[in-house]
């Protein structure tokens, strides 16, 4: 039978690899209003207003919310600590830094995106005989609810949902430490729902990843 | 086997196949509705939370055509019970019932191939006239 703890950790580890938009290693500057670049394009790199961007190799390391995107500049809510242009820096949008893990007390922070996880177990059956040592198959869902900022247009949540469904594309495999193999199903595709605004300044999109795991049954003595 | 016998057998096979297809369609439809309303060990759906049973009873099925049944609800809080997100507040929708849970619709949709396989397995594989 599936070890749920290992499964949850595997899905979390995969989600943590998410890249929605990134400059990659680039020559970037921090300005009083945000970030700037003299080559490349923030638009081409996929940045959108409402996204939470994480800087690397800058003096200021806390994430910032994008208010405006042009090819050569990102306007960050609240501004940034200015820093002259330097190579080897990056700006990346990934899984929100604020994460509501299951059964962990969490309070959203106004003005910051966050993500909620659900691991939902489905039905299963025995595949091979004898049952005592046969293979079993079980279905489930890994559900990610991405709460973005309301009123910022659909683009940031559209890109987030698309990036998540691509990260968990059908036939993506997770080999757990106990040898079980979780596979993202292809007969039922990952589903991303409609962007839905709710009170409190949020709009969310929910991404459901259907998976199936095959494990070896072992009857306890 | 004569051509006449073959034709009779084929006609019988057609009738049997149509009958079995109808049985599978009806059975799978009912099982899908039950999975959403009451839960199902086949899909893993927990079923609807229960307080007054208004939500549970709000889930209904109606035929749209001979080959389409529509399962639906008109409960204003069905969506919140499905995905656990309060509306309009946006925070968690607290589950207060000791029965039922979240994501029954999703699990039923995802587990529908298992529902169909279960109905087909119960139907067996024998056909009248052998084979």
């Amino acid at each position: 039978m599936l070890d749920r703890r290992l499964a949850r950790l595997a899905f979390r580890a995969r989600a943590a690899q998410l890249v929605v938009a990134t400059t990659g290693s680039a020559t970037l500057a921090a300005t009083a209003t945000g970030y700037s670049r003299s080559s490349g394009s923030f638009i081409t790199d996929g940045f959108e207003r409402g996204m939470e961007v994480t800087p690397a190799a800058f003096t200021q390391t806390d994430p910032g919310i994008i208010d405006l995107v042009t090819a050569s500049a990102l306007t960050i809510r609240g501004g940034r600590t200015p820093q002259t242009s330097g190579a080897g820096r990056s700006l990346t949008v990934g899984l929100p830094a604020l994460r509501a893990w299951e059964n962990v007390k969490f309070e959203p922070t106004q003005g910051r995106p966050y993500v909620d996880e659900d691991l939902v177990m489905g039905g299963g059956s025995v595949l091979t005989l004898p049952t005592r040592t046969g293979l079993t198959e079980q279905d489930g869902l890994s559900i990610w609810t991405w709460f973005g900022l309301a009123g910022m247009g659909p683009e940031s949540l559209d890109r987030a949902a698309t990036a998540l469904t691509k990260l968990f594309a059908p036939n993506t495999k997770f080999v757990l430490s106990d040898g079980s193999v979780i596979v993202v199903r292809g007969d039922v595709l990952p589903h991303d729902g409609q962007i839905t605004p709710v009170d409190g300044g949020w709009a969310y999109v929910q991404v459901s990843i259907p998976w199936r795991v095959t494990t070896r049954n072992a009857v306890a003595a | 086997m004569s051509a006449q016998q073959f034709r009779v057998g084929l006609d019988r096979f057609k009738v049997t196949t149509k009958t079995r297809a109808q049985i599978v369609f009806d059975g799978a439809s009912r099982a899908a509705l039950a999975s959403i309303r009451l839960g199902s060990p086949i899909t893993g759906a927990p079923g609807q939370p229960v307080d007054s049973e208004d939500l549970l009873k709000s889930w209904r099925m109606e035929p749209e055509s001979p080959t389409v049944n529509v399962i639906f609800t008109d409960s204003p809080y069905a969506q919140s019970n499905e995905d656990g997100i309060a509306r309009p507040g946006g925070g968690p929708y607290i589950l207060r019932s000791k029965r039922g849970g979240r994501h029954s619709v999703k699990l039923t949709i995802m587990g529908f191939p298992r529902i169909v396989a279960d109905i087909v397995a119960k139907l067996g594989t024998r056909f009248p006239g052998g084979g």
Side-chain angles (χ1 to χ4, degrees):
Chain A
M1 302 299 285
L2 176 69
D3 186 316
R4 291 172 55 138
R5 185 186 67 87
L6 293 180
R8 188 186 302 279
L9 291 175
F11 282 110
R12 285 182 183 176
R14 182 76 175 180
Q17 297 172 22
L18 181 73
V19 176
V20 181
T22 185
T23 60
S25 181
T27 300
L28 302 165
T31 67
T33 55
Y35 297 100
S36 67
R37 65 199 299 177
S38 55
S39 63
S41 166
F42 289 118
I43 295 174
T44 305
D45 284 343
F47 292 94
E48 305 281 0
R49 56 194 285 255
M51 285 182 173
E52 180 181 76
V53 64
T54 300
F58 284 91
T59 305
Q60 185 175 14
T61 57
D62 52 303
I65 300 299
I66 300 173
D67 270 336
L68 188 65
V69 181
T70 67
S72 58
L74 292 179
T75 303
I76 301 297
R77 190 168 294 184
R80 295 274 99 175
T81 302
Q83 196 170 353
T84 54
S85 185
R89 293 178 176 154
S90 67
L91 296 168
T92 301
V93 176
L95 201 70
L98 299 180
R99 298 159 188 183
W101 296 139
E102 276 203 276
N103 202 31
V104 175
K105 196 170 170 57
F106 174 84
E107 285 295 331
T109 299
Q110 273 299 321
R112 286 193 65 186
Y114 68 98
V115 71
D116 179 277
E117 73 156 357
D118 281 297
L119 183 67
V120 182
M121 310 306 289
S125 57
V126 172
L127 285 182
T128 64
L129 299 173
T131 303
R132 287 185 66 84
T133 55
L135 289 175
T136 65
E137 181 183 82
Q138 185 169 12
D139 296 339
L141 288 168
S142 172
I143 301 175
W144 298 88
T145 309
W146 192 302
F147 287 84
L149 305 185
M152 300 293 275
E155 292 84 2
S156 62
L157 287 171
D158 281 345
R159 286 193 185 268
T162 299
L164 258 180
T165 51
K166 284 183 177 177
L167 185 67
F168 290 98
N171 209 37
T172 302
K173 289 186 170 67
F174 306 90
V175 182
L176 306 185
S177 59
D178 64 356
S180 303
V181 180
I182 297 177
V183 182
V184 176
R185 290 172 64 176
D187 57 330
V188 182
L189 291 180
H191 172 72
D192 46 322
Q194 188 174 7
I195 294 172
T196 304
V198 289
D199 285 352
W202 313 107
Y204 74 86
V205 65
Q206 193 166 77
V207 177
S208 303
I209 313 296
W211 51 263
R212 179 167 286 164
V213 65
T214 307
T215 58
R216 179 74 59 183
N217 192 34
V219 178
Chain B
M1 178 187 287
S2 70
Q4 177 69 7
Q5 286 171 315
F6 181 76
R7 182 184 175 133
V8 167
L10 201 57
D11 286 342
R12 194 178 293 148
F13 178 80
K14 277 164 54 179
V15 169
T16 303
T17 301
K18 280 187 180 174
T19 304
R20 289 166 61 87
Q22 190 64 48
I23 292 172
V24 172
F25 173 70
D26 291 340
S29 299
R30 285 195 298 271
L33 179 63
S35 173
I36 291 171
R37 293 175 106 210
L38 303 168
S40 167
I42 296 173
T43 62
Q48 299 302 303
V50 177
D51 178 18
S52 62
E53 291 201 352
D54 286 348
L55 175 62
L56 188 151
K57 290 176 181 173
S58 77
W59 282 99
R60 306 186 294 282
M61 183 168 72
E62 286 179 4
E64 189 176 81
S65 76
T67 55
V68 176
N69 283 332
V70 178
I71 297 174
F72 64 97
T73 177
D74 55 5
S75 167
Y77 43 92
Q79 183 71 56
S80 290
N81 272 294
E82 168 68 11
D83 59 25
I85 299 171
R87 291 166 176 82
Y93 193 70
I94 306 298
L95 186 67
R96 302 194 192 282
S97 164
K98 289 185 173 63
R99 273 173 57 186
R102 308 279 181 233
H103 306 298
S104 289
V105 175
K106 280 194 194 67
L107 286 167
T108 299
I109 292 172
M110 185 181 68
F112 191 71
R114 290 191 187 280
I115 288 177
V116 173
D118 181 66
I119 301 290
V120 170
K122 286 173 179 156
L123 203 53
T125 56
R126 287 174 302 158
F127 285 84

